[in-house]
Amino acid sequence: MTSPPARGPVLTVTLNLALDVTYVTGDVDWDGVNRVGAVHRRAGGKGVNVARVLAALGCEVLVTGLAGGPNGEAALADLAAAGLPTALTPISGPSRATLAVHDHGRAPGRTALFNEPGPLVTEDEIGRFLSDYEARLGGAAAVVISGSLPSGVSPRLYAELAARARAHGVPAVVDADGEPLRHAPGGRPEIVKPNAEELARALALSGPQEAHGPGTGPGAAVRGAQVLRRSGARAVVVSLGADGLLAVTPEGAWRAAMPYRVEGNPTGAGDALVAGLTLGLVEGTPWPERLRRAAALGAAAVAAPVAGDFDADVLREVHPGVRVEAEPV
């Protein structure tokens, strides 16, 4: 795999930074006491996970966003230990913690997630972040804007961040849910990446005129992707779970299908997929190959124990077998 051109770092934006705690155990008794086999504690949030994968692929990154309190300090220390450059804007409220319980005692394994909502962020703190963000856009190769928003932040902020990036000639990738996803195309991002359920929710929020029928299969995903493209997104990539990956772009539409199902911890698979799409965007990789690598990275992340990692052996094995075919629109 080739490295991206040396234009500058990919900025990842994580406004709801987390200290991720993962318990790996077996045969969880939800009514009793459980012994934990392994514990992983590390900085998290979707943008952080994307940055970890991009860095492992040889891409220069800069982690931006908001951090505060003991969890924020612990996350900063972990990022420094991992060698990931950061430019996080300090806030007074404490960054959240998340807990993932991965039960591998029963095939194919199950993972339960417990996500705290995050701190209350003031208008002044958002203003400081926006100043920091604007100052760093000039040298960026791309921007990844992903994850949930903490309390006090407008759901239109992701659209504003994408628009500011575009004004600097920097392509933006947005991975969001709910109202932030609904508004995101207004900032004219280069890529919007929902999963099928997130896409359906965004269309429902947009009103009955955008509801093109029930379901989250490929047909519904194509129709929903076209709605987001008409709203301003240049390309829309939809995760379809077992049905693969769908991209609707100005160059055409494609669907990627996995050669087989990879079992493991799905937490962070979508972030690895976004990293693959972003790397392809920076490199200018044609869409079919961009989808093939992104889908393979998502599968390789499932095979890794914690979010932000991927299994390189699985990536090498799965990548050639991903089938990408043109999709009618």
Side-chain angles (χ1 to χ4, degrees):
M1 296 178 184
T2 60
S3 297
R7 178 174 181 243
V10 172
L11 269 60
T12 66
V13 177
T14 306
L15 295 178
N16 212 2
L17 183 77
L19 181 65
D20 284 350
V21 181
T22 301
Y23 288 171
V24 181
T25 185
D27 292 324
V28 172
D29 179 359
W30 293 101
D31 296 314
V33 176
N34 295 275
R35 297 189 182 277
V36 177
V39 181
H40 305 278
R41 291 184 175 88
R42 65 192 316 195
K46 293 181 75 64
V48 170
N49 297 337
V50 172
R52 289 186 192 276
V53 174
L54 284 171
L57 294 169
C59 183
E60 183 184 358
V61 297
L62 180 65
V63 177
T64 74
L66 306 172
N71 287 338
E73 292 175 2
L76 281 166
D78 177 71
L79 291 169
L84 290 174
T86 61
L88 290 158
T89 302
I91 57 174
S92 58
S95 296
R96 64 194 175 121
T98 71
L99 174 64
V101 179
H102 180 53
D103 177 2
H104 62 80
R106 301 174 186 174
R110 296 179 299 177
T111 301
L113 303 177
F114 302 86
N115 294 337
E116 295 180 2
L120 176 65
V121 179
T122 68
E123 289 187 11
D124 287 345
E125 288 168 338
I126 287 297
R128 287 198 296 273
F129 166 76
L130 287 172
S131 296
D132 295 341
Y133 175 77
E134 192 86 29
R136 300 184 186 281
L137 280 173
V143 175
V144 177
I145 306 161
S146 58
S148 61
L149 290 171
S151 300
V153 178
S154 168
R156 298 179 183 271
L157 183 59
Y158 282 178
E160 180 179 351
L161 296 181
R164 291 191 182 210
R166 182 179 177 84
H168 284 266
V170 178
V173 179
V174 179
D175 180 8
D177 193 4
E179 290 284 358
L181 172 60
R182 182 171 77 88
H183 292 296
R188 301 182 68 189
E190 191 70 18
I191 301 172
V192 173
K193 201 294 295 175
N195 63 35
E197 291 77 16
E198 290 164 347
L199 178 60
R201 281 194 290 270
L203 296 181
L205 289 168
S206 297
Q209 70 275 14
E210 303 296 5
H212 294 277
T216 55
V222 169
R223 295 190 295 271
Q226 290 172 324
V227 171
L228 296 190
R229 289 200 65 232
R230 287 195 297 270
S231 300
R234 181 170 172 81
V236 179
V237 178
V238 186
S239 303
L240 298 174
D243 288 324
L245 195 62
L246 173 77
V248 181
T249 82
E251 290 79 33
W254 292 271
R255 186 165 153 201
M258 301 302 298
Y260 57 87
R261 181 181 178 89
V262 176
E263 305 293 353
N265 181 5
T267 310
D271 303 326
L273 193 158
V274 168
L277 294 173
T278 305
L279 187 57
L281 172 63
V282 172
E283 294 176 343
T285 307
W287 270 105
E289 179 52 39
R290 194 183 305 186
L291 283 181
R292 180 175 289 109
R293 178 168 56 186
L297 276 166
V302 171
V306 292
D309 288 348
F310 63 89
D311 188 311
D313 291 335
V314 172
L315 176 61
R316 284 190 293 268
E317 181 178 320
V318 168
H319 182 267
V322 177
R323 188 177 72 256
V324 180
E325 298 178 345
E327 184 79 7
V329 294

